[in-house]
Amino acid sequence: LDRPKTVEEAKRCRAAAMAYSITSGRRAGRASPLAVLLIAGMAAVLSAPWLFVTPVSEGHKDAVAASRRSLLLSGVAAGTAAASGAGPASAASFPGLGEQKGPFEVDPKEAVVVGDAADKASIDAKKTVQALQDEAVAALDSLQKDAQADLVPMIKPLGISDLRRATNTINNLMDDSSAAGTQRLQRLMIQTKYQMEEDLPMPISKKGVVQPRGEKRLARIEEALKNYVIYSKQLLEFIP
């Protein structure tokens, strides 16, 4: 830069320098609060607790996984118990209230028959249900005398179909509310008969050798037969 050559030029240069200094100072003064606010805002955001996730310890992970497994297994166990039909289906009882009926349980004494129970088809259906019930009672007697009794003759190609056809005829005799009760017993009888027929044959080894009936298999068969007889008797109570 050229140096001022006169006193007047020197004065003008000093005045310009002072004006620039004042202007710069004012700008810096205005910018400083803005910079402070910006820095404070960034610090507040970065320090917010919701931006960070507390690390999960391995022990907590194991506890959560164990809890999930326990919940899953309890659900599977409940579904298996409901599907197995190991015992008669009965409603829960509460102190002072007695035994409460389930949503599909109907008292046979309150059933309303709208069909012709004296019709030949109705009579034949009742005979079929009674015959299958007598067969189950006879099988129970045989097992009490001989735990290794041959019960395979009970398994018939159309046994479950005959049971379904006969119980459908009984369902059609009832009004809608009463039919809900007979249909419930129909489902229980068919399910129990199917499970019973799965265990009736004697176990066979991998080499094709017939094995004696074990205690657990015997217990399952007896339980299924007893339940079947209970359901069958309850169903026949609906027919006058």
Side-chain angles (χ1 to χ4, degrees):
L1 296 174
D2 296 335
R3 294 181 179 180
K5 296 179 180 181
T6 64
V7 175
E8 293 298 331
E9 290 182 354
K11 289 181 179 180
R12 286 197 297 269
C13 289
R14 285 197 298 271
M18 290 178 65
Y20 178 79
S21 175
I22 293 171
T23 304
S24 300
R26 291 177 178 175
R27 291 179 179 175
R30 289 195 300 267
S32 180
L34 181 62
V36 172
L37 290 175
L38 180 61
I39 294 173
M42 293 178 62
V45 170
L46 293 176
S47 62
W50 47 269
L51 292 177
F52 303 94
V53 178
T54 305
V56 181
S57 62
E58 292 297 328
H60 183 65
K61 289 181 179 179
D62 295 340
V64 172
S67 177
R68 290 177 178 174
R69 286 195 299 269
S70 177
L71 180 61
L72 178 61
L73 291 176
S74 63
V76 172
T80 303
S84 63
S90 57
S93 57
F94 298 92
L97 297 178
E99 185 175 349
Q100 302 300 305
K101 293 182 180 179
F104 300 107
E105 290 187 73
V106 178
D107 188 346
K109 297 178 181 179
E110 300 176 357
V112 178
V113 179
V114 296
D116 187 3
D119 181 68
K120 182 178 184 303
S122 302
I123 295 175
D124 291 343
K126 183 176 181 180
K127 288 181 179 179
T128 300
V129 174
Q130 185 64 57
L132 292 173
Q133 176 183 315
D134 294 340
E135 187 179 45
V137 173
L140 275 173
D141 294 339
S142 297
L143 288 176
Q144 291 177 358
K145 297 176 182 178
D146 181 11
Q148 305 302 324
D150 183 14
L151 301 178
V152 174
M154 285 185 61
I155 305 176
K156 299 178 177 62
L158 300 177
I160 292 181
S161 297
D162 292 340
L163 174 61
R164 180 178 288 107
R165 188 180 301 108
T167 49
N168 278 338
T169 301
I170 296 175
N171 293 336
N172 294 333
L173 294 175
M174 308 295 157
D175 68 344
D176 291 342
S177 59
S178 302
T182 58
Q183 288 169 359
R184 167 183 170 270
L185 294 171
Q186 177 191 40
R187 291 191 297 269
L188 291 172
M189 291 171 66
I190 292 174
Q191 178 182 336
T192 306
K193 185 173 178 61
Y194 176 81
Q195 294 169 348
M196 173 179 59
E197 292 184 354
E198 285 290 306
D199 285 325
L200 283 181
M202 303 297 287
I204 300 177
S205 67
K206 295 181 179 179
K207 296 182 179 180
V209 180
V210 177
Q211 303 293 317
R213 185 180 288 125
E215 293 182 0
K216 292 184 178 179
R217 194 184 192 94
L218 176 62
R220 289 198 303 268
I221 295 174
E222 289 180 340
E223 189 70 15
L225 288 169
K226 291 177 182 179
N227 291 338
Y228 182 86
V229 172
I230 292 174
Y231 301 143
S232 179
K233 289 181 177 180
Q234 291 177 358
L235 181 64
L236 291 177
E237 291 178 2
F238 281 81
I239 305 175

